Amino acid sequence: MAIARNVLNFDSSIDYKLILKQGKLFGGVFMAEREIKFRGMKTFQIFSGETRTVWLYGFFLKRGTYGDPGPQAHIFIYENGYEGYRVDEKTIGQFTGFLDVQGEEIYEDDIVSCEDGRQGIVAFQQGTFVVYGRNGKSVGALSELWEIGVEIVGNRFEQPELLELKSKSVGARLRRESTILGF
């Protein structure tokens, strides 16, 4: 898998506790590393006619094949060579580089609950992973909430009821902002 490197210069006013846990120091310059991978949902029909869905984890690529109307979303998995699987493009989410309190990988579109009671959906916005609450406002950066402790309680595709809003106007606002944010 690819590794992303974020270079930071040290600043005495910043707490590097979390950063140092996940990165390396090279000659006074900090290099944060995380695995770049994605997940996407594949829906298929089994012989009985029943529809099943599975999450596939690997790297993301949009590609066209003969007979396709255009580039399609694929997740590629390495198993004795790379194999690509077409997935629903709306379900593509990137790994955040963080694990929840149970050791599960946190992805975009996961619904997380913080130990301090805050809850929301994970999104990538303005260069960082952010958790957005039911009112459509930021609950906080995932990196900050992770220090408190977060647990995955679902995702917006399999448990959309976890995002149900009490107010129709707040719900409409979140749907509007979700469209802008790519939810």
Side-chain angles (χ1 to χ4, degrees):
M1 295 285 172
I3 301 291
R5 296 180 187 271
N6 299 317
V7 179
L8 302 172
N9 290 320
F10 278 99
D11 178 342
S12 61
S13 66
I14 297 175
D15 178 15
Y16 290 97
K17 183 176 101 182
L18 169 67
I19 297 172
L20 292 175
K21 285 182 185 177
Q22 296 186 346
K24 296 180 181 175
L25 181 64
F26 294 100
V29 175
F30 173 75
M31 307 275 299
E33 297 182 356
R34 71 176 172 87
E35 191 172 25
I36 303 296
K37 63 181 174 180
F38 295 84
R39 73 172 179 194
M41 188 181 283
K42 179 170 183 57
T43 302
F44 59 95
Q45 197 167 13
I46 58 176
F47 293 113
S48 67
E50 185 181 344
T51 300
R52 297 268 173 105
T53 58
V54 295
W55 286 104
L56 299 176
Y57 299 83
F59 71 88
F60 170 62
L61 179 67
K62 277 184 94 166
R63 72 173 196 165
T65 57
Y66 181 75
D68 284 341
Q72 305 292 313
H74 287 75
I75 293 290
F76 281 80
I77 301 170
Y78 185 79
E79 295 173 359
N80 298 325
Y82 283 102
E83 187 70 33
Y85 300 92
R86 188 178 298 173
V87 295
D88 181 353
E89 187 171 356
K90 295 180 302 208
T91 66
I92 299 290
Q94 186 174 0
F95 175 49
T96 64
F98 293 99
L99 303 178
D100 77 350
V101 294
Q102 304 296 325
E104 298 292 321
E105 296 176 336
I106 302 173
Y107 285 82
E108 285 180 280
D109 296 317
D110 277 341
I111 301 167
V112 295
S113 180
C114 302
E115 289 184 5
D116 66 1
R118 293 181 281 178
Q119 185 176 5
I121 187 168
V122 178
F124 188 76
Q125 187 69 17
Q126 298 180 354
T128 191
F129 291 99
V130 179
V131 177
Y132 286 93
R134 293 177 180 207
N135 61 1
K137 293 184 179 182
S138 172
V139 172
L142 180 60
S143 59
E144 294 168 1
L145 299 174
W146 181 81
E147 288 185 24
I148 297 168
V150 296
E151 183 174 11
I152 300 169
V153 294
N155 64 65
R156 75 180 188 102
F157 305 106
E158 295 175 307
Q159 295 90 5
E161 67 278 3
L162 294 174
L163 291 175
E164 287 180 8
L165 305 170
K166 298 187 185 346
S167 162
K168 288 184 181 181
S169 62
V170 171
R173 178 174 167 230
L174 182 58
R175 280 191 295 281
R176 184 174 62 253
E177 289 183 11
S178 295
T179 303
I180 292 168
L181 296 172
F183 293 166

